[in-house]
Amino acid sequence: MDLKKLLRPESVAVIGASDSEGFGGGVCRNILNFVADRRRVYFVNPRRVQVLGVTCYKSMADIDDTIDLAIICTPQKTVIPLLHEAAEKGCGGAVVFASGYSEVGTKEGIAAELALKQAAESLGIAIMGPNCAGFANYVGDVQAFAFVSANRDRRGSVGVVSQSGQLCLTMMDDPSMRFSFSISAGNAKLVTLEDYMEFLVDDPDTKVVCVYLEGVKNPEKFAAVLKQAAQKKKPVVMLKAGRSEKAGEIAASHTGSLSGSDQAFDAVLKKFGAIRVDDLEELKAMSQMLATLPRLPKKAAFASMNLSGGETTICADVASLYGIEYPDFTEETLEALKEQLPDYATPNNPLDTTATLSYDADLYAKVLRTVMADPNVEMILIGYTLLHEIADPSIHFMYEGIEKVSKDKDCKPIAMIPFMENTRNPEYSNKLFHIGVPILPPTTYAFKLLAYLSAYIQYQGDEKSLSLKCSSYTTKETDVYALSEYDSKKELMAYGIGTGAELVAKSEEEAVAFATKVDVPVVMKIESADILHKSDVGGVKLSIYGEEAVRNTYHEILANVREKCPDANINGILMAPMLEKGIEMIIGVNNDPLFGPIVMVGMGGVFVEVFQDVALYPAPLNMSEAKEMLQSLKSYPLLDGYRGGKPCDIEALCKTIVQVAAYACANVDTLQELDINPVFVYDEGRGVGIADALLVKR
Amino acid sequence: MDLKKLLRPESVAVIGASDSEGFGGGVCRNILNFVADRRRVYFVNPRRVQVLGVTCYKSMADIDDTIDLAIICTPQKTVIPLLHEAAEKGCGGAVVFASGYSEVGTKEGIAAELALKQAAESLGIAIMGPNCAGFANYVGDVQAFAFVSANRDRRGSVGVVSQSGQLCLTMMDDPSMRFSFSISAGNAKLVTLEDYMEFLVDDPDTKVVCVYLEGVKNPEKFAAVLKQAAQKKKPVVMLKAGRSEKAGEIAASHTGSLSGSDQAFDAVLKKFGAIRVDDLEELKAMSQMLATLPRLPKKAAFASMNLSGGETTICADVASLYGIEYPDFTEETLEALKEQLPDYATPNNPLDTTATLSYDADLYAKVLRTVMADPNVEMILIGYTLLHEIADPSIHFMYEGIEKVSKDKDCKPIAMIPFMENTRNPEYSNKLFHIGVPILPPTTYAFKLLAYLSAYIQYQGDEKSLSLKCSSYTTKETDVYALSEYDSKKELMAYGIGTGAELVAKSEEEAVAFATKVDVPVVMKIESADILHKSDVGGVKLSIYGEEAVRNTYHEILANVREKCPDANINGILMAPMLEKGIEMIIGVNNDPLFGPIVMVGMGGVFVEVFQDVALYPAPLNMSEAKEMLQSLKSYPLLDGYRGGKPCDIEALCKTIVQVAAYACANVDTLQELDINPVFVYDEGRGVGIADALLVKR
């Protein structure tokens, strides 16, 4: 959808302009406060001659200009007629603040939204909302936001789109945030969140795409946009509601979004290298850090510089909590620092420069340059608590020092980390912003953000299969049914999974013939789609060898099952050569209603159940993604030559994972669930063995 | 040590009073800014007649008053003579800012500190520092702090003691912090950190003890103070350097503290119910929350109230990350909320009240009272981002509503949680403080703090053995030696650990006699203190039954060992009835140089090694503490009737843990390490079996 007239209009009409509180009043005030060139901004209100000193038109028809964007501040029932009027003036975009649509969940509301959608489509108007707070375009000087906020320069390069107007406003209220666009998407079922994201990923003024979302409408488009961002290396930072069940429910009722599994969402973002954050402070600070830094560090290699020992230990400890490591300085750096710092300082990374340094801008610059020149270091973290009212003059000297260094051609990225959040001095916050130094939130947040940054710069999109296989799954109850073990294995065989050295014996004689032919101990299992827990009903017997044993077991199993499951439909007895034991793994697939097959891998038994040590990844996936999944397991060392043992056949295991994903993609419309448990992994070069498999289809 | 004259002096002399920058200038300025009654505050400087308009005395002798506290702002070499002068005036406390003592690590520095210590002791003067920033006593109106900070009312009930002057100052710079005392302890080897903590735990004006420490000097006293705090239910909030190895090194070089293991420190704080935080923001905010709340909640049962859906989902999600759960509201509450809230609101906990509520103080109070009256709720969290410049008037109405409710006799604790940190409006911050409503940091911090709070109110000190068995261990290298398995088991037997059904066979005949007598399969192991890894040298044989097998095995083991360890001293062959396999656990003890025996429990094999799933706890410990250790293991479900199996004999396992701790305490001066691996745990009522044990002594 073309959002140009909506988000970058040449001419704007505010319908329902007003000087009282409310949508109309808010928009008009924001326009007067923030928009410098108002020559093509028109206020419309049939009952007013002037609003806030600006001439009012009775209707859009009276305006002697075309109208790109109509900002409709009036109640629900007026909206569709106004869209028709606007269309007459060439309108291509409209903001609709009114609520009472699908978000209320009533039949009337849903019908109203449908009617709005139809009108918009037939008139070719891109609609923001309904039930939204509007938007501000800080690069193009457009104000269509309904809530007022303090007067301040907000022009920057973070493009925000949010399904919550309040969170949008809170970010605009933050003194450190600077935007290209700030968009409150509202119900976002007409122009969707994915549409706005696509616009911002494309937009040259937007350096970072910053998203609050409660659910995804169009998973294919969502994936396509994330792929585009990954390829452009434009960071997407995302706060998504629904880590907890409660939040999932609230989000669904708030905007009526479909919600897939939150874990699937997590896995999808990981695949596309988008950054998922945990709260609004992180969303803001992560986005603003990425937007402020002139460039990102080449490696996650940080140096920390602080004015005191206490601060230095905090930077060491909190960094270690988030897996941030400080490389050692080289001998040259240490030598230089020993010369530059007072005698009682002990050069080290993290570095306590001692406070004396903060009263000498030249010396500060010198030490900063020394640290920056260290080849092991790619980004410098300056620990300093910038107060609102400056009681101590050290920031003057420090700033001067940093500013000198920031002009160096080979200046590496710098960020400032306060130890306590309070009121940051606006003058110095601004100055630091303008030389490309973001101030992060205090340490726990700061090092969490640096961990996000580290993961982001290490992400290699070109090694991933940047696509999803979304299903046409609907939330309707569908009949699901399980396949028998034999049928499950047979289906998987077609994708190269398993050996197929199995037979369903329909008679004692067939069983004996199989056992005689393979001439190794066999496993015998009841074969029935009706019996999922075969062991529980005496339906599984292991290590059977010799004709007599096979005959006896055949009858024993049938007797057990007839007694315990008299109604089960029995296909026979599944005969298979007894598999040698290896390391037990589980491979599963859950077909997510939004994102399609999500592959799960974990170590069998208590590892999955007690430690929840599993890796999830959306299909399709390639060998390097399968390997990444395995490596993300805490139990991975057990596969990789634990305690001097032989490494397992990780290659074969990865191949199986890739094949399972391929099977799931090919059967996305019929697969409900897949469970291979256990798959035995043998020593390197010796492959894997599929002991049991279960397909649930729909 | 009596700190009364140091911390609550009646009369004060500033030695080296000055109007230029530096210690003397800082102290004088702070006194003029903050101390209302300066009648018994004297400035001393032989070279000045006046300082900042205040008359200066040439020396303390010239002052016609006794001097309780001497604040010595002059260089190192002047300090001891000044202490003598001060003693003449009845002085009992002194602040020494000068540095160049033990913290520099030189022989001269250490000697200077020793001389200072001897002078202080002989003169009966309690010395703060050296190398400190001094202190402020906000309840007694005493200023002896060297660094200036903004003019502001800081009187409150958080008692701070910090080994970093900078961190002390940063907390004083925070607009929300309010102190009884703020103490920068410096090197703290004269008056120690433990002494200040004891003072603050005793001090009736101090509601919360807030500590930054880099190491413990006197572990017995540290434990005694924590015990006192636990018994008084006075919270101790602590930031300790040294989670990471790097920070440990920096902290040690910064104040030259002994450092035990950080994990041991953690375990000690847990035992005494002290709250360990991760950074300065947490230290400040946790302390200030505990000090501001009129009372603590009775249970960790929170309700969340927010003005928008987006904010509500954040409170749901971030809470779940930190294990904070919101109990469901009762039917009565839901009914009442449905009446009080707009139609489109969906009552729930967490609650989205919708923004309309924030413009009606009475309605806000009504809804708050409804939530508070819910019997499932013990504390209310109000989600709201208080800006520095108020753009939206809702806080006026909300505050008015909260204020009404805060006067209710049965008002439950309330805290405010912002979604983004920026500049908090000072007027409303103050107002909220005065009605007992703390403003927490943004959500990630806030819910982490609430998790600390939950653990704190759930802590039951009376169920713990509130003591430690610190050792007289010194950091000197000591000869350590291992005991053989038999000798290890014999020692443990005396403490009721193990069965003693074992024999060291010195001959083939003795081995056969043992095996014949027990008449069950036996395990035979080489018995030698020189061979720690018996299996690796063919020194262990399992399930031996029958005379011939015993004879053969006897010779086989000896042959193996003679070949692989020709120099080992061999005591014979350890004979034991073969233990039935149970769940494998490990029990260990590490004798911490500071805190004495720290008991470790974990599940055997990969659980400890790969998942680091272990519990640590300082000895001595009782049954309920042993149980708590087990319950803290992720693998605990495997002991407690996993998948419908029988529960293990947890009682017997706990008993063994308690006995091991008792053994370790009794042998604290000689024990280096203890390792029982594995101990088999059998089904309930069937006890445990000690398969192997190793003592390392010194």
Side-chain angles (χ1 to χ4, degrees):
Chain A
M1 188 174 290
D2 185 5
L3 305 185
K4 197 166 167 294
K5 285 192 175 178
L6 174 62
L7 293 171
R8 290 185 174 279
E10 301 283 333
S11 57
V12 174
V14 183
I15 324 296
S18 162
D19 45 17
S20 50
E21 302 227 329
F23 297 127
V27 172
C28 291
R29 277 191 189 82
N30 281 328
I31 287 172
L32 295 177
N33 281 341
F34 292 101
V35 179
D37 179 359
R38 296 193 291 270
R39 280 175 298 178
R40 297 188 67 194
V41 177
Y42 306 99
F43 287 4
V44 177
N45 190 332
R47 278 167 297 193
R48 306 293 299 271
V49 179
Q50 277 205 333
V51 160
L52 301 166
V54 176
T55 306
C56 248
Y57 293 82
K58 292 243 169 292
S59 75
M60 281 178 272
D62 297 343
I63 300 170
D64 186 22
D65 193 353
T66 55
I67 301 293
D68 285 354
L69 169 67
I71 305 170
I72 302 178
C73 311
T74 52
Q76 196 193 90
K77 64 179 191 305
T78 67
V79 173
I80 290 179
L82 285 168
L83 288 178
H84 284 276
E85 270 187 56
E88 294 291 316
K89 303 293 288 182
C91 173
V95 172
V96 177
F97 297 121
S99 54
Y101 291 90
S102 67
E103 81 282 2
V104 293
T106 61
K107 222 190 295 179
E108 294 76 15
I110 292 165
E113 195 157 293
L114 190 64
L116 184 63
K117 187 174 182 181
Q118 285 163 349
E121 280 167 5
S122 72
L123 298 169
I125 298 178
I127 290 192
M128 179 176 297
N131 183 34
C132 73
F135 76 96
N137 165 351
Y138 289 99
V139 288
D141 216 13
V142 182
Q143 279 288 332
F145 202 77
F147 304 131
V148 293
S149 52
N151 236 329
R152 183 172 62 75
D153 178 21
R154 289 189 178 76
R155 186 186 166 119
S157 57
V158 177
V160 169
V161 54
S162 164
Q163 272 184 290
S164 157
Q166 178 61 44
L167 297 188
C168 215
L169 175 64
T170 305
M171 285 196 271
M172 288 156 79
D173 278 335
D174 187 277
S176 67
M177 275 290 267
R178 289 158 187 275
F179 308 88
S180 52
F181 289 85
S182 180
I183 299 166
S184 157
N187 292 359
K189 281 186 203 138
L190 312 178
V191 178
T192 64
L193 213 78
E194 293 83 358
D195 294 322
Y196 295 116
M197 283 176 63
E198 183 182 41
F199 174 88
L200 294 172
V201 168
D202 277 347
D203 177 44
D205 293 318
T206 297
K207 210 170 138 185
V208 180
V209 181
C210 166
V211 186
Y212 168 74
L213 89 168
E214 303 189 332
V216 169
K217 298 277 163 27
N218 183 341
E220 278 95 352
K221 178 147 193 183
F222 186 71
V225 171
L226 291 181
K227 178 179 180 175
Q228 220 181 327
Q231 288 172 336
K232 281 190 154 185
K233 299 197 186 302
K234 185 181 280 197
V236 176
V237 186
M238 203 170 280
L239 174 62
K240 177 185 168 281
R243 277 211 194 277
S244 61
E245 219 174 287
K246 285 206 167 166
E249 286 163 20
I250 299 162
S253 79
H254 188 218
T255 40
S257 307
L258 247 188
S259 74
S261 118
D262 191 71
Q263 290 172 311
F265 187 88
D266 239 17
V268 167
L269 288 202
K270 204 168 173 190
K271 178 171 199 153
F272 290 98
I275 302 164
R276 183 172 186 182
V277 296
D278 285 330
D279 71 4
L280 192 66
E281 177 74 16
E282 288 183 14
L283 182 66
K284 166 208 89 170
M286 189 69 204
S287 302
Q288 193 56 44
M289 168 167 73
L290 292 168
T292 305
L293 291 173
R295 66 168 177 83
L296 299 189
K298 287 177 192 138
K299 284 189 307 185
F302 301 94
S304 166
M305 276 175 68
N306 309 281
L307 299 178
S308 80
E311 293 174 335
T312 306
T313 60
I314 291 176
C315 284
D317 280 344
V318 184
S320 80
L321 286 179
Y322 291 97
I324 300 292
E325 290 189 15
Y326 301 109
D328 287 335
F329 290 141
T330 63
E331 280 306 316
E332 288 79 0
T333 307
L334 291 174
E335 280 308 310
L337 289 175
K338 262 178 210 150
E339 260 174 49
Q340 292 158 5
L341 296 178
D343 288 348
Y344 51 91
T346 321
N348 210 332
N349 187 17
L351 178 64
D352 171 9
T353 63
T354 78
T356 51
L357 203 75
S358 63
Y359 298 96
D360 181 337
D362 288 327
L363 183 58
Y364 195 86
K366 197 174 195 177
V367 171
L368 179 54
R369 281 193 177 109
T370 302
V371 169
M372 200 175 268
D374 191 295
N376 297 337
V377 166
E378 292 294 336
M379 179 164 179
I380 290 91
L381 311 172
I382 295 177
Y384 183 79
T385 307
L386 180 59
L387 303 175
H388 193 264
E389 285 140 65
I390 307 284
D392 172 289
S394 56
I395 184 63
H396 305 307
F397 302 102
M398 284 173 69
Y399 171 76
E400 215 184 290
I402 299 168
E403 199 234 353
K404 281 179 212 283
V405 179
S406 74
K407 290 178 181 155
D408 294 356
K409 210 182 61 210
D410 49 357
C411 179
K412 292 175 181 170
I414 305 172
M416 189 173 272
I417 299 181
F419 295 91
M420 195 171 277
E421 186 67 64
N422 36 42
T423 58
R424 298 164 176 193
N425 182 275
E427 181 196 344
Y428 279 101
S429 299
N430 259 320
K431 280 184 166 177
L432 287 163
F433 167 77
H434 285 293
I435 60 170
V437 177
I439 306 178
L440 306 187
T443 46
T444 289
Y445 273 118
F447 285 99
K448 211 170 152 199
L449 299 187
L450 293 170
Y452 295 144
L453 176 67
S454 302
Y456 180 73
I457 57 181
Q458 279 155 25
Y459 171 80
Q460 301 282 357
D462 32 358
E463 289 180 6
K464 319 260 180 202
S465 52
L466 290 184
S467 62
L468 295 182
K469 189 74 189 180
C470 302
S471 63
S472 58
Y473 189 98
T474 60
T475 42
K476 273 184 217 161
E477 271 300 308
T478 324
D479 278 346
V480 300
Y481 61 97
L483 263 56
S484 73
E485 178 177 341
Y486 181 73
D487 290 341
S488 298
K489 285 179 167 171
K490 210 167 58 180
E491 273 216 38
L492 293 174
M493 257 292 287
Y495 287 79
I497 305 156
T499 60
E502 286 161 12
L503 173 92
V504 179
K506 303 281 189 187
S507 69
E508 195 180 322
E509 293 315 318
E510 280 181 33
V512 169
F514 179 91
T516 309
K517 193 172 137 216
V518 298
D519 198 27
V520 291
V522 295
V523 55
M524 297 172 67
K525 307 187 212 176
I526 194 71
E527 165 68 12
S528 165
D530 300 335
I531 302 174
L532 291 188
H533 300 286
K534 297 186 279 269
S535 301
D536 297 355
V537 297
V540 179
K541 300 286 162 187
L542 305 175
S543 288
I544 314 297
Y545 190 68
E547 187 179 326
E548 200 189 326
V550 170
R551 284 189 200 279
N552 291 344
T553 305
Y554 187 88
H555 293 293
E556 189 189 343
I557 290 179
L558 287 181
N560 286 344
V561 171
R562 279 193 194 115
E563 188 196 327
K564 301 234 171 94
C565 314
D567 301 330
N569 222 325
I570 290 165
N571 304 333
I573 301 287
L574 180 61
M575 307 289 298
M578 189 69 198
L579 282 180
E580 184 191 342
K581 278 231 165 190
I583 290 197
E584 269 186 50
M585 300 288 292
I586 298 176
I587 304 175
V589 174
N590 213 334
N591 203 344
D592 188 78
L594 283 178
F595 299 114
I598 307 292
V599 181
M600 184 275 272
V601 176
M603 195 160 281
V606 297
F607 296 96
V608 168
E609 290 178 32
V610 174
F611 290 94
Q612 272 100 47
D613 183 29
V614 298
L616 296 175
Y617 208 88
L621 48 78
N622 60 32
M623 287 295 280
S624 104
E625 288 166 301
K627 184 88 186 276
E628 197 185 311
M629 284 181 80
L630 292 178
Q631 284 170 335
S632 76
L633 293 174
K634 283 208 196 97
S635 49
Y636 181 71
L638 300 178
L639 289 170
D640 197 25
Y642 180 63
R643 295 192 102 183
K646 280 193 188 158
C648 288
D649 200 332
I650 291 171
E651 178 88 11
L653 179 57
C654 287
K655 208 173 142 205
T656 306
I657 297 168
V658 171
Q659 287 162 332
V660 166
Y663 167 80
C665 287
N667 295 278
V668 64
D669 291 330
T670 56
L671 180 69
Q672 173 85 3
E673 226 180 283
L674 180 164
D675 202 6
I676 302 182
N677 180 10
V679 45
F680 290 117
V681 191
Y682 304 121
D683 288 350
E684 214 165 44
R686 300 195 47 236
V688 301
I690 308 287
D692 199 353
L694 172 68
L695 289 176
V696 180
K697 309 197 110 192
R698 48 181 155 93
Chain B
M1 190 174 286
D2 185 6
L3 305 184
K4 195 165 169 292
K5 285 191 174 177
L6 174 63
L7 294 171
R8 291 186 175 278
E10 301 284 332
S11 57
V12 173
V14 183
I15 323 295
S18 162
D19 44 18
S20 49
E21 302 225 332
F23 297 127
V27 171
C28 291
R29 276 189 191 82
N30 281 328
I31 286 172
L32 296 176
N33 281 341
F34 292 101
V35 179
D37 179 359
R38 294 193 292 270
R39 280 175 296 177
R40 297 189 67 192
V41 178
Y42 306 98
F43 287 5
V44 177
N45 190 332
R47 277 165 298 192
R48 306 294 297 274
V49 179
Q50 277 205 333
V51 162
L52 301 166
V54 176
T55 306
C56 247
Y57 293 82
K58 292 243 169 291
S59 75
M60 281 179 272
D62 296 343
I63 301 169
D64 186 20
D65 193 350
T66 55
I67 302 292
D68 284 354
L69 169 67
I71 306 170
I72 301 177
C73 310
T74 53
Q76 196 194 92
K77 64 178 189 307
T78 67
V79 173
I80 291 179
L82 284 167
L83 287 178
H84 284 277
E85 270 187 55
E88 294 290 316
K89 304 291 290 179
C91 172
V95 172
V96 177
F97 298 122
S99 54
Y101 292 89
S102 67
E103 82 282 1
V104 292
T106 60
K107 222 190 296 178
E108 294 76 16
I110 292 165
E113 195 158 291
L114 190 64
L116 184 63
K117 187 174 180 181
Q118 284 163 348
E121 278 167 7
S122 71
L123 298 169
I125 297 177
I127 291 192
M128 181 178 294
N131 184 33
C132 74
F135 76 97
N137 165 351
Y138 289 99
V139 288
D141 217 13
V142 181
Q143 280 287 333
F145 202 79
F147 304 132
V148 293
S149 53
N151 236 328
R152 183 172 62 75
D153 179 20
R154 289 189 177 78
R155 186 186 166 119
S157 57
V158 177
V160 169
V161 54
S162 165
Q163 273 184 291
S164 156
Q166 178 62 44
L167 297 188
C168 215
L169 175 66
T170 306
M171 286 196 269
M172 288 157 79
D173 278 335
D174 187 276
S176 68
M177 274 292 264
R178 288 157 189 274
F179 308 88
S180 51
F181 289 85
S182 181
I183 299 166
S184 157
N187 292 1
K189 281 185 203 139
L190 312 180
V191 179
T192 64
L193 213 78
E194 293 83 358
D195 293 322
Y196 295 116
M197 284 176 62
E198 183 183 42
F199 175 87
L200 294 171
V201 168
D202 277 345
D203 177 44
D205 293 318
T206 298
K207 210 169 138 184
V208 180
V209 181
C210 167
V211 186
Y212 168 73
L213 89 170
E214 302 190 333
V216 169
K217 297 276 162 31
N218 183 341
E220 277 96 353
K221 177 147 193 182
F222 186 71
V225 171
L226 291 180
K227 178 179 178 174
Q228 221 180 328
Q231 288 172 336
K232 281 190 153 185
K233 299 196 184 304
K234 186 181 279 196
V236 176
V237 186
M238 204 171 280
L239 174 63
K240 178 185 168 282
R243 277 211 194 279
S244 61
E245 219 174 289
K246 285 206 169 167
E249 285 163 19
I250 299 162
S253 79
H254 188 219
T255 40
S257 306
L258 248 189
S259 76
S261 119
D262 191 71
Q263 291 173 310
F265 187 87
D266 240 16
V268 167
L269 288 201
K270 205 169 172 189
K271 177 172 201 153
F272 291 97
I275 302 165
R276 183 172 185 181
V277 297
D278 285 331
D279 72 2
L280 193 67
E281 177 74 14
E282 289 184 12
L283 181 65
K284 166 207 86 170
M286 189 70 203
S287 302
Q288 192 57 43
M289 169 168 72
L290 291 168
T292 305
L293 291 173
R295 66 167 178 85
L296 299 188
K298 288 177 191 138
K299 284 188 308 183
F302 301 93
S304 165
M305 277 176 68
N306 309 281
L307 300 177
S308 79
E311 294 174 334
T312 307
T313 60
I314 291 177
C315 284
D317 281 345
V318 185
S320 80
L321 286 180
Y322 291 97
I324 300 292
E325 291 190 13
Y326 300 109
D328 288 335
F329 290 141
T330 64
E331 280 307 315
E332 288 79 1
T333 307
L334 292 173
E335 281 308 310
L337 289 174
K338 262 178 210 151
E339 260 174 49
Q340 292 158 6
L341 296 177
D343 288 349
Y344 51 90
T346 320
N348 210 332
N349 187 18
L351 179 64
D352 171 8
T353 62
T354 77
T356 50
L357 203 74
S358 64
Y359 299 96
D360 182 336
D362 288 327
L363 183 57
Y364 196 85
K366 197 175 196 176
V367 171
L368 179 53
R369 281 194 178 109
T370 301
V371 169
M372 201 174 268
D374 191 296
N376 297 338
V377 166
E378 292 293 336
M379 180 164 176
I380 289 92
L381 310 173
I382 295 177
Y384 184 79
T385 307
L386 180 59
L387 303 175
H388 193 265
E389 285 139 65
I390 307 285
D392 174 289
S394 55
I395 184 62
H396 306 307
F397 302 101
M398 285 173 68
Y399 171 75
E400 216 183 290
I402 298 168
E403 199 233 354
K404 282 179 213 281
V405 179
S406 74
K407 290 180 183 154
D408 294 355
K409 209 183 62 207
D410 49 357
C411 179
K412 292 175 180 170
I414 305 171
M416 189 174 270
I417 298 182
F419 295 92
M420 195 170 277
E421 186 67 64
N422 36 43
T423 59
R424 298 165 177 192
N425 182 274
E427 182 195 342
Y428 279 101
S429 298
N430 261 319
K431 280 183 167 178
L432 287 163
F433 167 75
H434 285 294
I435 60 169
V437 177
I439 306 178
L440 307 187
T443 47
T444 289
Y445 273 118
F447 286 98
K448 211 170 153 200
L449 300 187
L450 292 170
Y452 295 145
L453 176 66
S454 301
Y456 180 72
I457 59 181
Q458 278 155 25
Y459 171 78
Q460 301 283 355
D462 33 358
E463 289 179 7
K464 319 260 181 203
S465 52
L466 290 183
S467 62
L468 295 182
K469 189 74 190 179
C470 301
S471 63
S472 58
Y473 189 97
T474 60
T475 42
K476 274 184 216 158
E477 270 300 307
T478 323
D479 277 346
V480 300
Y481 61 96
L483 263 56
S484 74
E485 179 178 341
Y486 181 73
D487 290 341
S488 298
K489 284 180 167 170
K490 211 167 57 181
E491 274 216 36
L492 293 173
M493 257 291 288
Y495 287 80
I497 305 155
T499 59
E502 287 162 9
L503 173 91
V504 179
K506 303 279 189 187
S507 69
E508 195 181 324
E509 292 317 317
E510 281 181 29
V512 169
F514 179 91
T516 311
K517 194 174 135 214
V518 299
D519 198 26
V520 292
V522 295
V523 53
M524 296 173 67
K525 307 188 212 176
I526 193 70
E527 165 67 12
S528 164
D530 300 336
I531 303 174
L532 291 189
H533 300 287
K534 296 185 281 270
S535 302
D536 297 355
V537 297
V540 179
K541 299 289 162 187
L542 305 174
S543 289
I544 314 300
Y545 190 70
E547 186 179 327
E548 199 188 327
V550 170
R551 285 187 197 281
N552 292 342
T553 306
Y554 187 89
H555 292 294
E556 189 189 344
I557 290 179
L558 286 181
N560 286 344
V561 171
R562 280 194 192 114
E563 188 197 328
K564 301 234 172 97
C565 313
D567 301 329
N569 220 324
I570 291 166
N571 305 332
I573 302 285
L574 180 60
M575 308 289 298
M578 188 71 196
L579 282 180
E580 186 190 340
K581 276 231 166 189
I583 290 197
E584 270 185 50
M585 302 288 292
I586 297 175
I587 303 176
V589 174
N590 214 333
N591 202 345
D592 189 78
L594 283 178
F595 298 114
I598 307 291
V599 181
M600 185 274 271
V601 176
M603 194 159 281
V606 297
F607 295 95
V608 168
E609 288 177 33
V610 175
F611 290 95
Q612 273 98 47
D613 182 28
V614 298
L616 296 175
Y617 208 86
L621 49 76
N622 60 32
M623 289 294 282
S624 104
E625 289 166 299
K627 184 87 185 276
E628 197 184 311
M629 284 180 81
L630 292 178
Q631 285 170 334
S632 76
L633 293 173
K634 283 207 194 100
S635 49
Y636 181 71
L638 300 178
L639 290 171
D640 196 26
Y642 180 63
R643 296 191 103 183
K646 282 196 187 152
C648 290
D649 200 332
I650 290 171
E651 178 88 9
L653 180 57
C654 286
K655 210 175 139 202
T656 306
I657 296 168
V658 170
Q659 287 162 331
V660 166
Y663 168 81
C665 286
N667 295 277
V668 63
D669 291 331
T670 55
L671 180 71
Q672 172 86 4
E673 227 180 282
L674 179 164
D675 203 6
I676 302 182
N677 180 9
V679 45
F680 291 118
V681 191
Y682 303 121
D683 289 350
E684 215 164 45
R686 299 195 48 237
V688 301
I690 307 288
D692 199 353
L694 172 67
L695 290 177
V696 180
K697 309 198 111 193
R698 48 180 156 93

